[in-house]
Amino acid sequence: RRLNVRVNIELLSISNPVHKKDLAVRLTDDTDPFFLYNLVISEEDFQSLKSQQGLLVDFSAFPQKFIDLLQQCIQEQNKDIPRFLLQLVSSASVLDHTPVSLNVVETNPFKHLTHLSLKFLPGNDAEIKKFLASCLKCLKEDKMMLEEKLRKTEEDLTRQLSYTQQSLSEKSRELDKLKNEWTSELTNEKERALQAQAQYQQQHEQQKKELENLHQKSIQQLQNRLSELEVINKDLTERRYKGDSTVRELKAKLSGIEDECQRAKQEVLSLRRENTTLDAECHEKEKLINQLQTRVAVLEQEIKDKDQLVIRTKEVLDATQEQKAILEESTEKKQSHIEKLETTIKSLSAELLKANEIIKKLQGDLKTLMSKLKLKNTVTIQQEKLLAEKEEKLQKEQRELQETGQSLRMKEQEVCKLQEQLETTIQKLEESKQLLKTNENVITWLNKQLNEIQMAKKLETSASTHGGVRTAISPHGMPDRPSFPSSGINHPISPLYAFQNF
C-alpha cells in the first residue's frame, strides 16, 4: 500500500557520562497516531552499518546525505515511474513489534538498486504515550493561539461592521437625495427632448415637402428638355438618312461613269492595235496599192471617223473627270456635314447623361435625408431606453440596500458559534463593502452625468444629434478573505517536543 509518512531526523548530543552524538530517526503518520517507529544510530553502530552496506560517507555527513535521498524520493513521488522509492518492509504484523526495514531504492531498466537500508523498531506503549502527550500539548497551544487570534479578529470585524453600517446609512441618505434630484432633472430633460423632437419633425416635414416640389420641378424641366432633344435627334437622323441615300446614288452614278470610261479606254486601245496592224498591212501591201486604192480611200475615211470618235471619247473622258471631281467635292461636303451632325448628337447624348446624373444625385440626397430622419428617431428611442435602465438600476440598488440591512440584523443574532460566525461575518462584510463601493461609484457616476448634461445644454445646437450615454462602473478589488488553519494532528510536530525525553 502507499501512504504519506513523516520522517523526523535529529542529532542528539549526550555528555553524561561520556560526550557522544547519536542520530535519532522517527517515522510517524499524521492520520494514524499509533504509527510510531524509532531508530537511534550511534557512531559505533554507524561504523558497522557502513561496513555492511558499503557506505562512503562519515557519521557527520550521513544525516545530510540521508535527507538528500529523502528529498529525491519526494520529488519523484508524483511520477508514474519514479526513479527513487522509499520502501517500508515489515515481515510480520504491526502488533508483533518486530523490526521493519526502511529502504531507499533507485530503479532503472536493469535492476532495483538499494542505496540504504535502515531497521526501525516499533514504539512501545510508553513511547506512544509520550508522543501522544507531546502532540496534545502542541494542539492545546495551537488552540489557545487560534482562540486569541479569533477574538482579536472578531473585535476588529465588529468595529469595521459598525463603521460600515454608519457609512452605509450616510451613503443611503445621499443616494436618496441624489435620486430625487436626478428624477426631477430627468423629467425636465425628457420634456425638452420631446419638444425638440416635435420641432425637428416639423422642420423635417417642411424640408421634405420643399425638396419634393423642387424634385418635381426639376423632373418636369428635364422631361421637357428630353422631349425637345428627341425631336431634334429625330430630325437629325432623318437628315442623315437622306444624305446617306444621296451619297449612295452619287456613288452609283460615279461607278457607272467609271465603267463607261473604262470601256472607252479599251476601245481606244483596240483601235490603236488595229491602226498598227493596218500600217503593217500598208507597208506589206504597197505592191497592191494600185489595186486597192478604192479600198484605201474607204479605209482612210474610216480612220478619220475613228479619229473623230477618239476625240469625242477624250472629250467625254475629260467631262467625266470634271464631273467626278465635282462629285468628290460634294461628297466631302456631305461627309463634313455628317460629322457635324454626329458631334451635335454626341453633345446631346452627353447632356442627357448629365441630366440622368442630376436625377440620380437628387434621389441620393432624398435617401440621405430619409436615413437622417430614421437616425434621429433611433436616437430618441435609445435615450428613452437608457432612462428606463437607469430607473431600474436605482430600484435594484434600493432592494440591495434593504437586503444588506436584513443580513446585518441577522448577523447580530448569530454570534454564538466561533468559526461559523467568523466566516459569515467576513462574507457579509465583503458584500457590504462591495455594495458601498458600488454605491460610491453610482454617486460619482450620477454627478458626472449631471455635469455632462449641464455642459450639453450649453453646447446644444439645432442640427446636432443626441448620442447615447454609456455607463461604466469599474469595480475595485475586494480584500482577500483571511484564512485560518484548522486545528488537528495534520501539522508538523516540533522536534523539541518529540525528543525532549528521548
Side-chain angles (χ1 to χ4, degrees), residues 13 33 86 106 162 171 189 299 362 371 423 451 472:
S13 296
L86 189 64
E106 182 181 0
S162 62
K171 295 296 180 182
E189 289 296 327
L299 290 172
L362 290 171
S371 62
E423 293 178 355
N451 292 326

Side-chain angles (χ1 to χ4, degrees), residues 273-287:
R273 289 193 192 97
E274 288 179 358
N275 194 4
T276 53
T277 55
L278 289 172
D279 289 334
E281 287 179 355
C282 287
H283 287 294
E284 288 177 356
K285 294 181 180 181
E286 287 179 356
K287 295 177 181 179

Side-chain angles (χ1 to χ4, degrees), residues 113-169:
L113 181 62
T114 302
H115 287 278
L116 183 63
S117 179
L118 300 175
K119 291 186 179 296
F120 285 80
L121 292 173
N124 52 20
D125 294 339
E127 291 174 350
I128 290 173
K129 286 178 182 178
K130 288 181 181 179
F131 172 67
L132 292 175
S134 63
C135 291
L136 184 61
K137 187 177 179 181
C138 291
L139 288 173
K140 285 183 178 180
E141 290 179 354
D142 292 339
K143 182 184 176 184
M144 292 174 65
M145 290 173 64
L146 287 173
E147 286 178 351
E148 183 66 23
K149 191 173 182 182
L150 186 62
R151 186 180 61 78
K152 290 181 179 178
T153 53
E154 184 180 355
E155 291 176 356
D156 293 337
L157 288 173
T158 52
R159 286 196 300 271
Q160 290 179 4
L161 185 61
S162 62
Y163 176 71
T164 52
Q165 285 177 352
Q166 293 176 1
S167 61
L168 186 62
S169 62

